[in-house]
Amino acid sequence: MTDERLWQLDKTAFASTDGSGQVVAGPLSEQFVELTRLLLTASTPAQVLQQIIDAAYRVVPGADLVSVTLRAADGTFHTPVATEKVAVELDAVQYRAGTGPCVDAAASESPGHVRSDDLAHETRWPDFSQAAVRHGFTAILSTVLLPEATPPRLPGALNIYSRRPDALGPVAQDTALLLATHGSLALAGTNAVSRADLEARHLRRAIESRDVIGQAKGILMQRRGLTADEAFDLLRRTSQDLNIKLAELASTLAARHTELDGL
């Protein structure tokens, strides 16, 4: 599909007609036109995905939180962009469980979208549903995203969370599907479609987490006379007891170890 054709699709989407039969673009149509212009100037997948989640947050009815799920060549999932950090945490619950709307929408046999209107009574993904409700999110919509133009075309997902049950209805679903289509087309047109830029971000975060955990282990080994394995086990148990991510606990310990003698 050409850039001009994509722009024309936007110009008529979500439009109405006046008394003479002339097409009149509405506010949503105008926002999609502007999104298309922004996507056509994006040069990397990271820029495209940032534009997509920003647009989804603005235009999808009921959207309170937005993220993108991508799958690496080894089959693992990660969240390269999100409107808030809590989305990364909730996505990760699904990645660990191996199931959830983000994971199911990004599956090779994906139905195109996965939706739950009331996570408080959802039985398909108990771990994720409980975590989402604890954070105040009671509905989710995930739509398939295709970040690659060539095989193996590993699908991803555009994920939209809402704090209100039943908030992500048919209009939200149609809008999200259109956004995901725009995102897929724009991603296929970038020079970095191999996702090297995105995976570098993911790797950088992993290295940073590993380094800070190493610092925290060293502090505990020195102060408590522990072995490396014992220090890591102490960090892991404390992380679970306090319900704090291991990397966050390690970062706090490394930065404020003189104040945490009770650890």
Side-chain angles (χ1 to χ4, degrees), residues 94-130:
Q94 301 174 64
Y95 305 157
R96 289 193 295 271
T99 187
C102 303
V103 173
D104 295 353
S108 298
E109 64 279 7
S110 169
H113 70 275
V114 177
R115 189 175 97 195
S116 177
D117 294 323
D118 187 359
L119 289 171
H121 297 93
E122 180 59 70
T123 59
R124 286 174 290 178
W125 324 290
D127 292 346
F128 162 70
S129 298
Q130 292 170 17

Side-chain angles (χ1 to χ4, degrees), residues 58-253:
R58 291 194 309 270
V59 306
V60 175
D64 293 313
L65 185 70
V66 184
S67 70
V68 163
T69 291
L70 289 184
R71 184 168 47 164
D74 62 1
T76 59
F77 294 95
H78 65 282
T79 300
V81 290
T83 54
E84 293 182 41
K85 186 177 179 181
V86 66
V88 179
E89 297 173 6
L90 292 177
D91 290 355
V93 172
Q94 301 174 64
Y95 305 157
R96 289 193 295 271
T99 187
C102 303
V103 173
D104 295 353
S108 298
E109 64 279 7
S110 169
H113 70 275
V114 177
R115 189 175 97 195
S116 177
D117 294 323
D118 187 359
L119 289 171
H121 297 93
E122 180 59 70
T123 59
R124 286 174 290 178
W125 324 290
D127 292 346
F128 162 70
S129 298
Q130 292 170 17
V133 171
R134 280 199 305 271
H135 285 280
F137 297 97
T138 55
I140 186 169
L141 169 65
S142 293
T143 63
V144 68
L145 189 71
L146 296 173
E148 297 173 325
T150 56
R153 288 176 62 85
L154 298 172
L158 173 64
N159 313 305
I160 301 168
Y161 295 80
S162 181
R163 294 187 179 278
R164 291 158 290 163
D166 299 310
L168 301 172
V171 174
Q173 183 172 301
D174 290 345
T175 306
L177 287 169
L178 186 55
L179 278 168
T181 300
H182 277 61
S184 298
L185 291 171
L187 285 167
T190 60
N191 293 327
V193 77
S194 66
R195 293 164 37 192
D197 176 60
L198 293 169
E199 291 187 356
R201 281 187 174 195
H202 180 53
L203 177 61
R204 184 164 59 250
R205 285 197 299 269
I207 291 173
E208 289 171 352
S209 295
R210 184 187 64 187
D211 288 348
V212 76
I213 291 172
Q215 292 176 31
K217 283 171 54 180
I219 292 168
L220 290 175
M221 291 167 65
Q222 181 181 30
R223 291 170 55 198
R224 303 287 293 273
L226 304 175
T227 66
D229 288 344
E230 290 171 340
F232 182 79
D233 285 341
L234 177 56
L235 283 170
R236 179 179 52 79
R237 291 197 307 272
T238 305
S239 169
Q240 293 173 345
D241 292 343
L242 298 178
N243 195 26
I244 299 173
K245 293 179 68 174
L246 180 60
E248 292 179 7
L249 176 65
S251 179
T252 300
L253 176 59

Side-chain angles (χ1 to χ4, degrees), residues 14-28:
F14 302 99
S16 60
T17 58
D18 61 16
S20 65
Q22 294 295 315
V23 173
V24 179
L28 186 56

Side-chain angles (χ1 to χ4, degrees), residues 9-80:
L9 282 176
D10 263 330
K11 194 170 182 60
T12 57
F14 302 99
S16 60
T17 58
D18 61 16
S20 65
Q22 294 295 315
V23 173
V24 179
L28 186 56
S29 176
E30 293 170 359
Q31 291 187 67
F32 268 87
V33 170
E34 180 60 23
L35 172 63
T36 299
R37 289 178 176 141
L38 292 171
L39 290 176
L40 293 177
T41 63
S43 59
T44 68
Q47 292 174 356
V48 169
L49 293 179
Q50 189 64 51
Q51 295 288 358
I52 290 297
I53 65 167
D54 289 346
Y57 185 78
R58 291 194 309 270
V59 306
V60 175
D64 293 313
L65 185 70
V66 184
S67 70
V68 163
T69 291
L70 289 184
R71 184 168 47 164
D74 62 1
T76 59
F77 294 95
H78 65 282
T79 300

